[in-house]
Amino acid sequence: MASRPRRPPLRPPARRPAAMIAAAAPAFLLSACGGSQSALHPAGTAARDIFEITLVLFIGGALIFVGVMAIAAYAVLARPERFRGGIGWILGGGVAFPVVVLFALQVYEFAMTRRIVAAGTPVDLTIEVTGVMWWWDVRYPDAGRGLDGVDGNRELRTANEIVVPAGRRVEFVLTTRDVIHSFWMPTLAGKLDMIPGHVNRLTLVADTPGVYRGQCAEFCGAQHALMAFDVIVLEPDAFDAWVRHRLQPPAEPRDELAARGRDAFLEAGCGACHAVRGTPATGTLGPDLTHVGSRLTLGAGVFPNSVGALAGWIASARHLKPENRMPSFDVLDGVTLRAIAAYLAELK
Ligand code: CUA
């Protein structure tokens, strides 16, 4: 009988774990910095300015740190007779250098802040975002202005999804309906608090079309971590087409199941909290559902949007996101639940 091949002996662990950890640490740390919610991949003017400030401060601080450590090492290790001019070092390095560097940085930061705030620059579009525990109410009070064929209603309302035109200056008007939230789209701008009874304004120009992610950045209760939103930056023409489409009420249900779903949606009282434009549902306590079927995610950025996720959310919202205001409609039978989900998924 042939003997089994012998395994090579296990190698001893690497000799220099500290060196390996030091080499791997930057890669590990930076691996968390990619993707659609990274301030290190700016896609708008304000975020780009903030990224530049970050680089200047980090690299400048690192160079000064290395320089100070080198001088300190020299002072400790060199023979005393080689280290002269003590008072000169103290006045030069301890007084003159910090004064010059900090003054220059202050001037630089004032200039950058003015550029980011851009006070007085005319804006092309206003978007009002209101933080609510734990979702985002999004209104475009005058989205249809200047668009051909749009007269009458020019106001758009949506939730948990913000669509922004690239290359146009957008002003976000931020407030809250309950506690303090913080509005943060890391790829586009810095964070700004939403404060009860107060309005904060944030302007920016998004310059790179794409899908990004925003997140509440101020602890606001049990589901703070599940208070996210999608940010979609479109080319200007695509944005105008989006506005035109969104100003229309959604189409009538296409099939029997969806029609049954619409009737059940209205009978179950969903319209007390939610609005679907063009129907008797006009509630404003919860997210506007007029085009909910076209959103990328549900539950404020928590689940990918699908018929199944819609049904699951309706049946177990309290289980999926405890303490949120939407009750779990676990009294609905399976067919009704599927019908409502089919109706909502068609609202595009
Ligand atoms: Cu809203 Cu944290």
Side-chain angles (χ1 to χ4, degrees), residues 25 52 77 79 81 95 137 182 195 223 244 292 323 348:
E52 184 194 305
L77 300 175
R79 286 199 219 105
E81 62 270 23
V95 179
D137 189 17
S182 183
I195 297 167
Q223 299 301 336
R244 269 203 199 86
V292 67
E323 293 184 35
K348 289 185 175 171

Side-chain angles (χ1 to χ4, degrees), residues 19 39 41 50 58 73 131 133 141 180 203 223 326 340:
H41 291 92
I50 292 169
F58 183 78
M133 291 160 89
I180 298 177
T203 65
Q223 299 301 336
M326 164 105 177
I340 295 178

Side-chain angles (χ1 to χ4, degrees), residues 109-123:
E109 296 234 355
F110 279 152
M112 290 301 271
T113 307
R114 278 178 71 102
R115 199 162 97 183
I116 292 171
V117 172
T121 313
V123 297

Side-chain angles (χ1 to χ4, degrees), residues 248-304:
Q248 310 291 326
E252 288 294 303
R254 279 200 304 259
D255 56 25
E256 204 181 316
L257 184 69
R260 181 172 170 177
R262 177 194 53 195
D263 298 343
F265 177 86
L266 296 172
E267 278 163 23
C270 305
C273 295
H274 297 286
V276 176
R277 205 142 24 83
T279 75
T282 53
T284 55
L285 282 177
D288 185 294
L289 300 180
T290 302
H291 293 96
V292 67
S294 64
R295 278 182 213 150
L296 298 175
T297 56
L298 290 180
V302 179
F303 314 102

Side-chain angles (χ1 to χ4, degrees), residues 134 180-182 216-220 224 227:
W134 293 281
I180 298 177
H181 304 274
S182 183
C216 181
E218 175 85 30
F219 181 72
C220 55
H224 155 71
M227 185 170 170

